[in-house]
Amino acid sequence: MSPPPQRIGLPWPELNDGLAYKDAISSSESELTTVSEFYFTKYKSSAPLLGWIQRIQNGQIQIDGEVVKDPNTLLRSGSKLVYSRLPWKEPDTPYSLEVLYEDDDLIALNKPSGLQVLPGGLFQQRTVLTQLQWCFGKNDSYIGSRESPHPVPVHRLGRGTSGILLCAKTKLAKTKLAAYFAEGTSLVGSGNLDQECGTGRKLSKIYRALADGIVEEDEVVIKQPIGVVRYPGVAQGLYVASPEGKPAFSKVFVLERDREKNCSLVKVEIQSGRPHQIRIHLAYMGHPLVGDPLYVAGGQPKCFDPDLVDDAAAFAEDGYKIRSSFFILIVSVYLEMNSPWKLNNI
């Protein structure tokens, strides 16, 4: 009988530690500008003017290291501001991570769906990075090390995506693995598209996804560029299929067809790594992911619905209700190393 899989992870506390947002006042912003006017003007999506006044009166704003409670305090050029957001309860998130492989250079984790890799948006504490800090930062072998104080992810998986996540334990491993991940994207960008995707590369990225409808072809190659368009509620724009976008290359293999449920289980091998590439490319070919609330046939978004938008650039308000996205991805990722796991031979 094989031993149970090794796992890491500590339960999340009810509230996180809050967050500090820092700003520096430029000469153009300092002309007869009050602290309340500054925050309301710069962060309108965060709270109304009365909300910022309340935060200032609560002592949540510092100017040059001193707490200010007068909303009408005038700002000076060069002043440094800190807004201390109060601790909040982040959305329910898994915390347990199965360890698939570990050596002196790296650790491979089975990331569950629903767990974000790096801090962003509503998820500032409940991330893979935090668990790595908690579980390895107190490890005696890491204390005083000249290497990283804890393993760090070398690539990302979407919060809704499950699959293998590689984390580097040394600077050499981080540099090498990051180069491997960038290799495919650089090849696509140079126009050197490899029909076999992983051929000749040290690392291949293979996903499984449940696509809507019946994909009749056994294999489909997609070379649709992916770009950014302005989209309501997404501050930095939304990634979509766009002829003006950056090159992207995916190869789709049909594994099963379920005509009764009108869906197809596919394997997707990607040579580039554009944001939402698999979601966009499957939608572009007319078979979006089952349950994807955003992308439709053609690789374009549905008509704007504020409940489907995850504005990672905006931060939640103290005492105000914030929407969160509910992207449902039925995807698992498999990263196949074509060279041995150990890095001392590369």
Side-chain angles (χ1 to χ4, degrees):
M1 183 176 180
S2 59
Q6 180 185 355
R7 306 190 75 89
I8 63 170
L10 298 173
W12 305 115
E14 182 177 359
L15 301 178
N16 62 21
D17 297 328
L19 199 61
Y21 298 88
K22 299 180 180 181
D23 286 285
I25 304 302
S26 65
S27 56
S28 61
E29 293 171 323
S30 64
E31 296 179 3
L32 300 178
T33 300
T34 65
V35 62
S36 58
E37 291 172 342
F38 169 80
Y39 277 106
F40 173 63
T41 301
K42 189 166 185 178
Y43 301 109
K44 287 184 177 180
S45 63
S46 174
L49 179 59
L50 290 178
W52 280 112
I53 291 175
Q54 182 182 17
R55 292 172 180 175
I56 296 167
Q57 293 174 338
N58 288 342
Q60 292 177 245
I61 308 295
Q62 293 183 29
I63 301 179
D64 295 329
E66 299 291 333
V67 174
V68 295
K69 293 188 176 183
D70 182 1
N72 295 317
T73 301
L74 292 176
L75 300 178
R76 301 189 307 272
S77 177
S79 291
K80 296 182 179 180
L81 278 64
V82 178
Y83 156 52
S84 298
R85 180 180 168 189
L86 299 178
W88 73 94
K89 178 176 172 55
E90 299 183 13
D92 292 338
T93 304
Y95 67 85
S96 180
L97 293 153
E98 180 183 358
V99 178
L100 301 175
Y101 177 86
E102 183 177 7
D103 62 22
D104 294 338
D105 299 299
L106 61 84
I107 181 171
L109 303 173
N110 184 11
K111 187 192 86 68
S113 175
L115 179 59
Q116 191 156 301
V117 175
L118 300 176
L122 291 176
F123 297 90
Q124 295 295 327
Q125 183 182 70
R126 298 187 178 191
T127 66
V128 173
L129 181 62
T130 299
Q131 289 293 348
L132 291 172
Q133 292 170 339
W134 288 352
C135 296
F136 290 89
K138 297 179 181 179
N139 191 317
D140 291 340
S141 64
Y142 279 83
I143 296 176
S145 171
R146 295 181 181 179
E147 300 289 356
S148 173
H150 56 79
V152 293
V154 294
H155 63 106
R156 299 192 190 193
L157 293 177
R159 177 157 48 89
T161 306
S162 63
I164 298 176
L165 181 72
L166 298 184
C167 303
K169 298 169 69 174
T170 66
K171 293 180 180 179
L172 173 62
K174 181 179 179 181
T175 300
K176 291 287 187 179
L177 290 170
Y180 292 163
F181 277 100
E183 180 184 15
T185 300
S186 62
L187 288 174
V188 173
S190 65
N192 186 15
L193 298 179
D194 184 352
Q195 293 294 316
E196 297 301 322
C197 281
T199 303
R201 297 178 57 201
K202 291 184 171 64
L203 185 146
S204 299
K205 294 181 286 186
I206 302 174
Y207 297 70
R208 287 191 178 186
L210 192 61
D212 184 60
I214 303 301
V215 182
E216 299 294 348
E217 303 89 344
D218 292 336
E219 297 182 10
V220 181
V221 173
I222 308 171
K223 303 179 182 179
Q224 172 61 38
I226 294 175
V228 179
V229 297
R230 296 185 63 182
Y231 194 73
V234 183
Q236 297 178 354
L238 183 70
Y239 287 91
V240 300
S242 170
E244 291 80 29
K246 294 182 179 180
F249 182 92
S250 302
K251 195 169 186 179
V252 180
F253 305 84
V254 176
L255 301 177
E256 296 180 24
R257 297 180 178 91
D258 190 333
R259 297 189 182 277
E260 182 179 345
K261 296 183 179 179
N262 192 37
C263 60
S264 302
L265 178 65
V266 298
K267 179 177 76 172
V268 186
E269 193 168 356
I270 61 175
Q271 186 152 318
S272 51
R274 306 302 180 195
H276 306 314
Q277 177 171 325
I278 291 177
R279 297 174 67 187
I280 294 171
H281 273 183
L282 288 178
Y284 176 77
M285 61 182 284
H287 299 279
L289 288 174
V290 171
D292 191 333
L294 183 60
Y295 293 103
V296 295
Q300 300 298 314
K302 294 180 181 178
C303 295
F304 175 63
D305 183 338
D307 289 332
L308 302 182
V309 175
D310 183 12
D311 186 356
F315 47 81
E317 294 81 324
D318 300 334
Y320 288 84
K321 183 177 180 181
I322 293 297
R323 296 186 300 267
S324 63
S325 69
F326 56 95
F327 292 157
I328 305 171
L329 303 186
I330 307 176
V331 179
S332 61
V333 62
Y334 299 89
L335 296 173
E336 297 180 348
M337 298 292 286
N338 296 328
S339 61
W341 282 99
K342 292 292 289 182
L343 295 176
N344 53 10
N345 294 323
I346 57 177

